[in-house]
Amino acid sequence: MSVAAIENFVCVIYNISFMNCTWHVDRNASGDVQYFLYWKTSRKEDYVRCQNYIEDNCGRHTGCRFQNVTIKGSRKAYFLVNESRNGQNILPYITVIYLYKIEKLTPPLNVTVNCTGVYHSCEIQWQRPHTSHVDRDICFKYEIVIENKADPEERMKDTSKMERIITGNSYIFESFNANKRYTVKIRATNNDCLVSENWGEWSTPVEFGREQLTSTSSYTLLLISAIAASLVLFICIITIYLKTVPAIVLQPKDPFHDISPVNFQTENQFIKHETEEITIVEEAA
């Protein structure tokens, strides 16, 4: 009996819990052939048939998509591909795979850069990638790539790249130049644990350098300008106030020299008017 005519059977776990398995159909396979994938994670379990096939242009199954896949330590997975061909008895293709070995690690998380212009250095920090079976920082090592970007505005056409393989979750970049722009990206792999030996996905590049410092400097300059303007305005208000207050302060009067003059003509008329009123009242009585 012949074996199922497939080649390059490969499975990859990605985004923690998704898995794709694919294979190539033999060039000599007839047009009416079809393939069906089954799998299980224990010898004692029954095989489970694929529910979401990938098809080629001829409608033949060339892969399968799985969800909610969990890696548990060194557990193996058993895969079986049946070939359906008219009137022929075909042996299935069978393979055994350690699930942790086929995982494509997610990018390291929360990559941050904190630069100090005084010491011409930057501290780069990150967190380990998420997996379904490993939660220890010591299980990962990282490749970190720092690239000096070309800057047309500053007429800097040269670029440079620095690569390092390190353990831990931080790195000190000591060749920092505040007048240059940089990008950093990081990916992870196994460090003597049950983790895939293949390099994982790159983190999104993080920019730092001239733009970051220019933004900070602009903010500082704006803050200083605002403080200076407020100080000038305060001084002007105080100056105007000090010039105005002495003009409105009452001066003390001399009781012997500042007596107001009396208008005797007005006083006599007032007395005469009061006398006439008294006479009229008496006559009426």
Side-chain angles (χ1 to χ4, degrees):
M1 291 186 294
S2 59
V3 180
I6 67 169
E7 300 173 344
N8 301 326
F9 183 88
V10 177
C11 293
V12 177
I13 296 175
Y14 63 98
N15 288 349
I16 304 174
S17 62
F18 293 87
M19 182 173 69
N20 281 2
C21 292
T22 59
W23 56 87
H24 293 161
V25 176
D26 192 320
R27 295 179 180 179
N28 298 322
S30 60
D32 61 349
V33 69
Q34 189 57 282
Y35 301 92
F36 300 94
L37 175 64
Y38 302 82
W39 84 303
K40 62 181 180 178
T41 56
S42 171
R43 288 182 180 273
K44 299 179 181 179
E45 297 177 356
D46 293 329
Y47 278 102
V48 178
R49 184 173 176 174
C50 170
Q51 300 297 320
N52 187 11
Y53 281 106
I54 302 170
E55 297 181 349
D56 63 9
N57 294 332
C58 298
R60 292 176 296 193
H61 298 158
T62 57
C64 182
R65 299 184 182 94
F66 299 91
Q67 297 182 7
N68 302 319
V69 176
T70 302
I71 301 173
K72 295 182 179 180
S74 59
R75 176 174 290 185
K76 302 175 184 178
Y78 303 82
F79 295 89
L80 181 152
V81 180
N82 263 338
E83 179 178 324
S84 174
R85 193 182 304 177
N86 290 337
Q88 295 188 29
N89 192 9
I90 308 298
L91 288 175
Y93 171 90
I94 299 175
T95 186
V96 181
I97 298 175
Y98 288 95
L99 291 180
Y100 77 87
K101 290 185 177 182
I102 62 172
E103 181 178 21
K104 182 75 170 179
L105 293 174
T106 61
L109 303 174
N110 301 327
V111 179
T112 59
V113 183
N114 184 19
C115 296
T116 305
V118 177
Y119 299 104
H120 302 287
S121 65
C122 297
E123 183 180 14
I124 303 170
Q125 296 180 316
W126 61 89
Q127 295 177 354
R128 68 175 181 272
H130 277 170
T131 68
S132 63
H133 66 294
V134 176
D135 58 0
R136 295 186 299 163
D137 291 338
I138 197 173
C139 285
F140 301 93
K141 62 182 176 183
Y142 303 90
E143 180 181 12
I144 180 170
V145 174
I146 300 174
E147 186 175 2
N148 175 23
K149 298 181 63 178
D151 192 345
E153 296 180 4
E154 297 294 329
R155 297 181 180 179
M156 295 181 182
K157 298 181 180 180
D158 297 333
T159 61
S160 61
K161 182 184 291 185
M162 185 210 72
E163 300 178 5
R164 294 287 187 274
I165 305 297
I166 61 174
T167 57
N169 294 72
S170 65
Y171 174 76
I172 301 298
F173 177 50
E174 297 180 345
S175 302
F176 175 65
N177 185 336
N179 295 320
K180 295 182 179 181
R181 299 170 59 190
Y182 302 87
T183 61
V184 57
K185 60 181 181 179
I186 307 170
R187 61 179 180 174
T189 188
N190 177 46
N191 187 37
D192 297 327
C193 291
L194 296 179
V195 176
S196 174
E197 296 289 343
N198 299 318
W199 283 103
E201 298 179 359
W202 286 105
S203 63
T204 302
V206 175
E207 294 192 7
F208 64 99
R210 190 180 67 82
E211 287 188 353
Q212 179 182 1
L213 295 177
T214 300
S215 177
T216 303
S217 300
S218 301
Y219 174 78
T220 303
L221 182 60
L222 180 62
L223 182 61
I224 293 175
S225 300
I227 294 175
S230 300
L231 183 60
V232 170
L233 180 61
F234 177 75
I235 293 175
C236 291
I237 293 174
I238 292 299
T239 302
I240 294 173
Y241 177 78
L242 293 177
K243 289 181 179 180
T244 305
V245 169
I248 62 175
V249 173
L250 296 176
Q251 299 295 328
K253 294 184 178 181
D254 188 339
F256 298 99
H257 296 86
D258 295 336
I259 299 176
S260 300
V262 178
N263 190 335
F264 292 99
Q265 183 178 358
T266 304
E267 291 292 330
N268 290 335
Q269 290 178 356
F270 177 74
I271 294 172
K272 182 177 178 181
H273 179 70
E274 285 187 344
T275 304
E276 290 177 354
E277 287 183 351
I278 293 171
T279 302
I280 292 172
V281 172
E282 288 178 351
E283 290 178 355

